[in-house]
Amino acid sequence: MKFIVCICLSLLAAGAVDVYAQPKPEHNLRFNHLAKRWDEAMPLGNGMMGALIWQKEGKLRLSLDRADLWDERKALDMSKLTFKWVEEQVLKKDYGPVQAVGDHPYNAIPYPTKLPAAAVEFDIRSLGEVASNELDIATALNTVKFTNGTVFNCYIHASQQEGYFSFENLHDTSLAALPRLLAHNYNGGKRENDNSHAGEGLEKLGYAKGTITQNENSTLYHQPIYDGHYYEVMIQWKKYPGNKVIGSWTISNDRPAKLSRLTSTDEPTEWPAHLAWWKNFWAQSAVVLPDKAVEKQYYLELYKLGSAARKGAPAITLQAVWTADNGSLPPWKGDFHNDLNTQLSYWPAYTGNRLAEGATFTDWLWKIRPKNKEYTKSYFGVEGLNVPGVVTLGGDPMGGWIQYSLSPTVVAWCAQHFYWQWKYSMDKRFLKKQAYRYIHEAATYLENITRLKDGVRKLPLSSSPEYNDNRISAWFLEWSNFDLSLAKFLFTAAGEVATAMGKSKEAEHWQAILAQLPAYEVNETGFTVAPGQNLNESHRHMSQYMAIYPLALLDVNKPEDKTIIDNSLKRIEEKGTMAWCGYSFSWMASLYARAYQADSAVKQLQIFASNFCSPNSFHLNGDQKGGQYSSFTYRPFTLEGNFAFAQGVHELLLQSRNGYLQVFPAVPRSWKDVSFENLRAEGAFLVSAAKENGVPSKVTVVAEKKGLLRIRLPFRTWLSKSMPMSAFTISADGIVTVQLKKGQSVVFENGYE
């Protein structure tokens, strides 16, 4: 079994250069050392399993993780909570009882929580210093070379639940390459203070001591967790001629761990399938940017998306398959935060032409939908569908600051991803089976929970994520712009999917409900937080600006919308960034891009990449350069800022807005040469474009489905040799319209006039 030699010498050289969209070597993570912290480690993953490769106390360490390892015991007693009771307490100005029932259990009780699996260590002291440590993101392979000539390789198979490692050129195969499987300290142990906002020590979970069974060439770790549940970690290895050791590992959940047997004669079949998956992933789209730091960060974000999202695996949590390895519960319990984190994590999947990865979110939401409907009935007292803002793997609410963890509008933001999956694919089957039903049930709930008075629809209690934290003042008795924007989007989307399903009466109903919503609350500061509450301080959430992005309910090309957008951005700038987290800058890039403020958008991306990321590109929330841009200087790792960064890049290059798409809407003038291949737009159009020597030269659009293309081109005059000019119409505002058949392409070229 000689796969590592093949990987390093022949397969990579021959196989990774023939696809245009493959990332380049300069996009890789390269160091001349092993990281000394888990959150700076080399990350590997396949959506279900993950590993972090680093060095701890002189050992090469693999921190192993599995996405569905959870303790789902309930800490929040939902029988004591109803939305009506919360409203009564707010009106009585007696909010302490609500905090005691809804907020306190999240911090006081260690579960429910995501769990880390185990660690594997190799004693590398005899191998000399590390000469190089590289993660090839094209193939998801980590290679570590030592000064004595030994080479370590590691990867997690893209579509099988096995990880592989090897040592080559060993001087002594009896020591360094033999793995030691380590259990986490569920029964007591060292807890590290690493400024990562870690939770309680793992021993607080109270599990029975796990067992480690050591055989000559394998180790099995069996860890009981709660209520009869357990997980297992298995690792095996084998010595080969030529001073090589090859091994594999896996993690199982509530079933015995099993591994494919290592043999000494057969060339493995695992690597070619793994390589093919990643080549297909990278072939979906590509970008070329003149700012190489931004370009590298972009490709690293897509690598993390490919590592964290896979069909059949859970949705992306705060840390996905890279749970903290520091003896503690992960930051914020590693859970699903649906008031921002899950949604931002999937932003780049649509324009980035990776709908399969994006579907892991809608698949998970669909899976927990029955339990979410029960929650909607019990807490809100109405029929329909809402989703908890902070939720377990199985869909149960976890509590926390309930203005957001039990928010009345979470489902509207989740529903946008069903809407996007449909709009970017135009998949009629998905529309019928999932998108229509999910959006319809969500809109039904929101109609039921709101109240109609004097022809105006009102939400009993409203909030804007983390504005005033968990104080009673975080509740507003009138619509916040966050909740109102989501309501406007949801009823609009409900009407659109009803029309697409041929349900005209139902569409009319949702349009009538939409008309009952009040206007946005705006003034000279642009969007307020809520009536009577301006943005009066720096604030990390951009939630009152949802109508600008991601909901795109406003269009800067409309004068009245432009005034609101411009005033809002000015207000944000006035209040500064000192209370921002890293994701704030990523989100802000898309807001600026929607306003065509290209230089400001790029600046946000540059700040994020330079100040808010670990050396391995992980988003660490706080400013890692001592508070240059934010007073948050801690380092809890969460992923949403990373993925929002990638979407910020997309928004510079291609935007879908209000029934048309726009090419190069927010590219800085200083970017003379920029191009992209096969980015995806609403309507199931694949778009490629190039700007050369400061001049846009060509735009190509391929229709994946039959449809009407409406496009704003980046040149004043144009010609198309692919179709007769009589096929096109041009509106007064410069939008070109053409009907395309399935599979048909059209090429627009600059007329240079």
Side-chain angles (χ1 to χ4, degrees):
M1 193 167 184
K2 301 175 292 186
F3 75 96
I4 295 298
V5 175
C6 293
I7 290 172
C8 293
L9 300 181
S10 59
L11 285 176
L12 292 185
V17 297
D18 58 344
V19 178
Y20 170 81
Q22 294 292 299
K24 299 176 181 178
E26 55 263 36
H27 299 140
N28 293 340
L29 289 174
R30 290 176 173 170
F31 305 101
N32 60 3
H33 61 275
L34 287 165
K36 299 300 193 296
R37 295 178 54 103
W38 68 271
D39 56 11
E40 296 180 0
M42 292 298 201
L44 301 173
N46 69 357
M48 182 62 81
M49 295 204 318
L52 295 167
I53 303 170
W54 55 300
Q55 182 175 340
K56 184 176 182 180
E57 298 175 352
K59 310 291 196 306
L60 174 64
R61 186 176 178 96
L62 276 63
S63 303
L64 308 185
D65 195 14
R66 182 178 165 111
D68 61 357
L69 290 186
W70 268 77
D71 185 328
E72 293 205 80
R73 286 176 289 178
K74 296 181 180 180
L76 179 66
D77 187 353
M78 287 300 295
S79 68
K80 298 180 179 179
L81 274 172
T82 66
F83 192 52
K84 183 178 181 181
W85 176 72
V86 173
E87 182 188 12
E88 291 170 353
Q89 299 306 116
V90 171
L91 293 176
K92 289 193 303 183
K93 302 186 185 307
D94 183 19
Y95 200 60
V98 178
Q99 293 172 322
V101 176
D103 299 353
H104 295 172
Y106 185 88
N107 292 323
I109 302 174
Y111 53 78
T113 182
K114 174 72 178 67
L115 302 173
V120 175
E121 287 190 346
F122 302 91
D123 189 342
I124 58 173
R125 288 175 294 179
S126 65
L127 304 183
E129 298 297 322
V130 171
S132 66
N133 176 21
E134 181 167 3
L135 175 62
D136 180 1
I137 66 171
T139 58
L141 174 71
N142 182 211
T143 300
V144 182
K145 296 181 179 179
F146 296 87
T147 54
N148 77 339
T150 300
V151 178
F152 170 80
N153 288 281
C154 188
Y155 76 97
I156 296 177
H157 197 281
S159 55
Q160 300 176 23
Q161 300 313 319
E162 296 189 12
Y164 294 89
F165 67 88
S166 80
F167 283 89
E168 301 173 34
N169 303 326
L170 282 165
H171 294 266
D172 184 354
T173 59
S174 64
L175 294 175
L178 301 186
R180 181 187 175 204
L181 184 55
L182 303 174
H184 285 307
N185 57 327
Y186 289 118
N187 304 102
K190 183 179 179 181
R191 182 183 177 205
E192 299 169 17
N193 181 13
D194 61 0
N195 199 28
S196 67
H197 201 69
E200 296 275 4
L202 294 173
E203 74 279 358
K204 296 290 187 179
L205 295 170
Y207 298 157
K209 186 176 179 61
T211 58
I212 295 180
T213 304
Q214 182 77 51
N215 294 314
E216 182 179 0
N217 291 101
S218 67
T219 306
L220 178 68
Y221 165 41
H222 176 92
Q223 177 62 60
I225 47 178
Y226 70 102
D227 296 343
H229 295 286
Y230 71 95
Y231 69 85
E232 291 188 347
V233 181
M234 185 178 185
I235 185 168
Q236 64 176 353
W237 61 94
K238 186 177 179 64
K239 298 178 184 179
Y240 290 85
N243 295 325
K244 287 180 290 190
V245 171
I246 296 174
S248 60
W249 58 271
T250 192
I251 309 167
S252 65
N253 187 7
D254 274 340
R255 64 183 62 186
K258 294 182 180 180
L259 280 168
S260 304
R261 189 170 65 93
L262 295 175
T263 68
S264 58
T265 57
D266 296 333
E267 192 71 28
T269 58
E270 292 86 354
W271 174 253
H274 168 84
L275 183 64
W277 190 94
W278 278 100
K279 289 178 72 174
N280 179 70
F281 174 81
W282 288 116
Q284 300 308 305
S285 65
V287 307
V288 178
L289 309 176
D291 187 322
K292 294 307 174 184
V294 171
E295 182 183 274
K296 178 176 180 176
Q297 186 79 28
Y298 171 82
Y299 276 99
L300 289 170
E301 311 306 17
L302 290 192
Y303 167 77
K304 289 193 284 292
L305 180 65
S307 300
R310 197 74 86 255
K311 185 172 181 60
I316 296 171
T317 54
L318 295 179
Q319 293 88 28
V321 291
W322 301 301
T323 303
D325 181 5
N326 58 3
S328 303
L329 299 178
W332 299 286
K333 302 184 179 182
D335 55 32
F336 299 89
H337 267 54
N338 295 320
D339 70 340
L340 178 147
N341 303 77
T342 54
Q343 290 91 340
L344 270 63
S345 291
Y346 288 96
W347 276 1
Y350 306 99
T351 310
N353 194 24
R354 288 170 173 84
L355 296 184
E357 284 67 44
T360 63
F361 187 35
T362 51
D363 285 348
W364 174 72
L365 287 170
W366 189 258
K367 183 177 182 179
I368 65 173
R369 171 173 156 265
K371 189 167 286 187
N372 293 164
K373 293 177 75 172
E374 295 174 4
Y375 152 76
T376 304
K377 180 68 173 178
S378 65
Y379 180 65
F380 292 99
V382 298
E383 298 296 331
L385 173 66
N386 195 13
V387 182
V390 180
V391 64
T392 68
L393 173 69
D396 288 311
M398 293 175 61
W401 296 353
I402 69 163
Q403 297 92 332
Y404 328 110
S405 67
L406 303 179
S407 162
T409 60
V410 173
V411 73
W413 203 349
C414 293
Q416 185 182 36
H417 287 263
F418 284 87
Y419 178 80
W420 273 345
Q421 273 286 342
W422 168 56
K423 289 293 286 186
Y424 280 83
S425 70
M426 299 310 295
D427 185 334
K428 293 181 180 179
R429 179 178 175 83
F430 177 76
L431 171 67
K432 181 179 180 181
K433 296 292 184 179
Q434 291 191 12
Y436 165 75
R437 293 169 65 187
Y438 197 94
I439 293 171
H440 175 81
E441 290 173 353
T444 298
Y445 149 76
L446 194 57
E447 178 185 6
N448 290 340
I449 197 65
T450 50
R451 301 166 184 166
L452 190 63
K453 182 178 181 180
D454 299 328
V456 179
R457 191 162 292 274
K458 181 180 178 181
L459 191 64
L461 289 176
S462 188
S463 66
S464 190
E466 299 187 18
Y467 200 88
N468 290 335
D469 296 338
N470 65 333
R471 299 188 293 275
I472 190 173
S473 58
W475 286 116
F476 299 101
L477 300 181
E478 302 292 338
W479 287 98
S480 70
N481 274 319
F482 172 75
D483 285 335
L484 180 59
S485 298
L486 284 167
K488 286 178 180 286
F489 164 79
L490 183 59
F491 291 133
T492 301
E496 188 173 347
V497 295
T499 298
M501 290 288 292
K503 300 176 182 290
S504 58
K505 291 293 185 182
E506 186 179 300
E508 291 174 5
H509 171 77
W510 295 125
Q511 290 162 4
I513 298 295
L514 176 64
Q516 294 168 352
L517 296 177
Y520 299 114
E521 181 69 19
V522 297
N523 57 26
E524 71 281 359
T525 70
F527 280 111
T528 64
V529 177
Q533 180 62 68
N534 290 345
L535 178 69
N536 289 329
E537 58 190 6
S538 179
H539 185 57
R540 58 190 171 273
H541 281 261
M542 303 298 164
S543 304
Q544 62 264 38
Y545 310 109
M546 292 282 289
I548 306 172
Y549 194 85
L551 302 178
L553 298 172
L554 271 60
D555 189 337
V556 73
N557 294 295
K558 298 178 180 179
E560 62 274 21
D561 290 354
K562 187 177 188 308
T563 298
I564 297 172
I565 293 171
D566 289 347
N567 287 342
S568 297
L569 296 180
K570 180 181 177 182
R571 184 66 167 189
I572 296 172
E573 292 164 356
E574 288 173 351
K575 297 306 170 185
T577 67
M578 295 310 291
W580 288 18
C581 292
Y583 68 75
S584 312
F585 294 88
S586 295
W587 189 344
M588 195 67 198
S590 288
L591 287 168
Y592 274 127
R594 284 281 160 163
Y596 299 153
Q597 296 187 27
D599 291 329
S600 295
V602 170
K603 180 65 174 177
Q604 307 309 301
L605 299 175
Q606 293 169 335
I607 291 172
F608 174 85
S610 65
N611 283 59
F612 291 86
C613 291
S614 173
N616 70 349
S617 79
F618 278 176
H619 165 228
L620 297 182
N621 275 267
D623 189 336
Q624 301 306 299
K625 293 186 177 179
Q628 182 180 4
Y629 292 102
S630 173
S631 59
F632 288 107
T633 56
Y634 61 175
R635 51 184 300 143
F637 159 49
T638 60
L639 280 161
E640 76 294 322
N642 290 120
F643 298 128
F645 175 97
Q647 182 58 14
V649 172
H650 292 153
E651 288 291 319
L652 305 176
L653 306 176
L654 179 68
Q655 295 178 10
S656 297
R657 45 161 78 232
N658 294 315
Y660 68 95
L661 61 96
Q662 185 168 3
V663 178
F664 293 146
V667 173
R669 290 187 178 183
S670 60
W671 283 17
K672 301 301 182 184
D673 296 286
V674 57
S675 63
F676 61 87
E677 290 284 332
N678 288 334
L679 293 184
R680 181 177 286 268
E682 289 185 8
F685 297 109
L686 297 178
V687 186
S688 304
K691 179 182 177 184
E692 302 170 281
N693 296 319
V695 180
S697 56
K698 184 169 71 172
V699 175
T700 301
V701 181
V702 179
E704 195 172 69
K705 303 286 177 65
K706 176 183 176 181
L708 185 68
L709 171 67
R710 301 183 71 244
I711 184 170
R712 188 186 293 273
L713 295 166
F715 13 76
R716 292 178 179 272
T717 62
W718 54 272
L719 53 89
S720 177
K721 299 176 183 177
S722 58
M723 296 179 67
M725 295 300 290
S726 59
F728 303 94
T729 60
I730 306 175
S731 65
D733 56 0
I735 296 176
V736 177
T737 302
V738 61
Q739 182 71 43
L740 296 178
K741 300 175 183 178
K742 180 180 179 179
Q744 188 175 11
S745 64
V746 57
V747 180
F748 301 95
E749 298 182 57
N750 197 332
Y752 295 102
E753 292 183 9

